[in-house]
Structures are given as structure tokens and as C-alpha cells.
Amino acid sequence: MEQARVIEFSDESRHDLELCFAGISQCEPQHSYGPAVRPNYLIHIVLKGKGQFRSGNASYALEAGQGFLIQPDKVTYYIADREDPWEYCWVGFRGNRVEELLRELDLGDEHPVFACEQTGALKSVILDLMNIQGSHLAQRLHRDAMIMEFFSILASQLHVASSARDQERNEYIRQAITYIQGNYDQPVKVSDIAAHIGIERAICTCCLWNTWESHRRITSQRIVSQEPGNC
């Protein structure tokens, strides 16, 4: 049987970032949740062991030192490893600023999984959150401070990962520019560029349209025959 402890906070009424619940669980082998759709956001932090997380058509093998984001109205499924079942902790949250916050953390459909070295610190925050019960102002403010500390720790970790992804995107742009300059007298398609770089066509399309103007002003109609709406 799964050994889980969960605390729900039904009194949270602020709109920017609302804490819904927090918990921690040592799962049994092959313990699973879903497929399911959640009404709020969740972030799970893997503390020990291994498991698998599925979101849409994507599947991720995870282990200690990683985490995953669950978004509202998205079908997700996760299951503990048979040999080395994971232990994880989590927070559920919602609010008007959540989308903006996750965007700044570079978490979303494209990157629902992340690496984090400070799992111990995040676990401590979640345990502290679970111990702050009650609806008095002092307790609510204390929970506000702790959930902000959780995201502060997460941001310090994900900024490094985000910078590495930016470097990767910049390298894609550099290779694309080199390819286009070498074939400027030929009709070049996104699929040609993607094949040259060695990435999927959809990734190449979004990468080009999202970052092109910040690198060089080139007439896009001459380069690609695709609209940015295809990202």
C-alpha cells in the first residue's frame, strides 16, 4: 500500500498564486495514478527511486533529482518503477499569475520535465507547508512565504537549465543561417533546414519563428514557405 500524507488548504483565497494542497508519498512498486485530468497545476519532485510520467503522447523515464509539471485539463499518467519505486513530494496550486510564472521558469507543454539538484530543500519546504495548518492571517501569510520559497528554489535551478536550452536554440539558429547562406540561390524549406541540423521539423519551425528576429533580419518569405501558426 502507498504510504502517502496529503494536506489540503481549502481556505486559500488569494488570486495571484493559491496553494491547493501539498503531500509526500513513498510509492509501492507499479503504483500508478491516472490517466487523469486535474483541475489545477501540480509539481512533483522525485526524491528517491524511479518512475515514468506520461503527458499526452510523450513519455518520460524519471529518477531522483528530477521533477514534472502537471497542467490543468491535460491527460497525464505516472507509475512507479517495479524494482526501484519512487518517493516524491508535490504541491498543487493555481492562480492568475501561474501561467506567467511557469513561462518564466520555461515549464509547459514543451518542457514538462526538469532536473533539480536541491530536492532536499524542496522537500523541507513542502514538509513545512504541510505543518502550517489553520486559517488565521499569520498562518496564511506563512504559507504564502513558503510557496514563494519553493518557487524561488526551483527558479534558481531551472534558470541554469533554461540557459542551456537557450544555448542549444542559438546553435540551431547558427547552423540554420549557415545552411541558408550556402543555399541562398535555392528555394529552401523548413524540412531542408531541419534535416541539415538534425532535429524534428516541428521543432525547427518553432525555433526559427520564435527566435529569428532576435538574431538577424532576413526576409522570411524568401527562406521558408510556412506560417508561424504551425508551431
Side-chain angles (χ1 to χ4, degrees):
M1 180 180 294
E2 180 191 19
Q3 300 177 10
R5 181 185 172 210
V6 184
I7 301 294
E8 295 189 13
F9 303 101
S10 58
D11 64 291
E12 309 307 291
S13 59
R14 288 157 304 287
H15 299 295
D16 287 346
L17 180 60
E18 302 176 19
L19 177 66
C20 301
F21 47 80
I24 184 169
S25 176
Q26 172 59 65
C27 297
E28 294 293 321
Q30 297 283 275
H31 173 79
S32 64
Y33 192 99
V37 174
R38 303 298 188 91
N40 46 258
Y41 293 88
L42 289 92
I43 287 180
H44 285 66
I45 305 296
V46 183
L47 305 172
K48 299 177 183 177
K50 302 175 183 178
Q52 187 178 59
F53 170 63
R54 299 175 192 167
S55 179
N57 296 323
S59 181
Y60 306 88
L62 302 180
E63 60 185 9
Q66 293 183 288
F68 58 93
L69 168 71
I70 293 176
Q71 301 180 81
D73 304 320
K74 302 283 186 180
V75 178
T76 58
Y77 171 82
Y78 43 103
I79 183 171
D81 186 73
R82 184 187 301 274
E83 302 298 330
D84 188 13
W86 53 16
E87 176 186 2
Y88 51 52
C89 54
W90 67 89
V91 290
F93 54 96
R94 64 192 172 203
N96 295 333
R97 289 192 57 199
V98 169
E99 289 188 12
E100 175 188 350
L101 175 61
L102 293 176
R103 186 164 53 249
E104 291 185 17
L105 292 173
D106 202 16
L107 290 176
D109 291 331
E110 291 187 16
H111 307 120
V113 169
F114 56 89
C116 183
E117 295 180 358
Q118 297 193 42
T119 56
L122 293 171
K123 176 183 178 181
S124 295
V125 171
I126 290 177
L127 290 176
D128 287 344
L129 274 171
M130 295 169 66
N131 289 327
I132 306 170
Q133 300 183 42
S135 58
H136 292 299
L137 177 61
Q139 294 159 331
R140 297 200 308 267
L141 291 174
H142 196 177
R143 283 195 291 271
D144 284 348
M146 296 307 296
I147 191 63
M148 294 306 292
E149 182 178 352
F150 176 89
F151 279 106
S152 174
I153 296 171
L154 204 59
S156 69
Q157 298 290 295
L158 297 187
H159 175 73
V160 176
S162 179
S163 297
R165 281 195 290 267
D166 288 342
Q167 292 177 7
E168 184 178 44
R169 293 190 189 107
N170 291 343
E171 177 61 19
Y172 291 158
I173 290 295
R174 188 193 66 78
Q175 292 185 41
I177 291 174
T178 299
Y179 179 81
I180 292 165
Q181 288 176 336
N183 296 272
Y184 196 72
D185 59 338
Q186 302 293 327
V188 178
K189 298 180 179 179
V190 172
S191 56
D192 299 327
I193 302 172
H196 174 75
I197 299 174
I199 59 177
E200 294 181 6
R201 181 173 177 272
I203 296 175
C204 183
T205 303
C206 290
C207 183
L208 287 173
W209 282 110
N210 290 338
T211 61
W212 195 266
E213 289 299 326
S214 64
H215 286 77
R216 182 168 304 189
R217 294 183 178 276
I218 299 178
T219 305
S220 59
Q221 291 84 351
R222 180 71 183 272
I223 299 168
V224 293
S225 58
Q226 230 166 293
E227 295 295 328
N230 293 329
C231 289

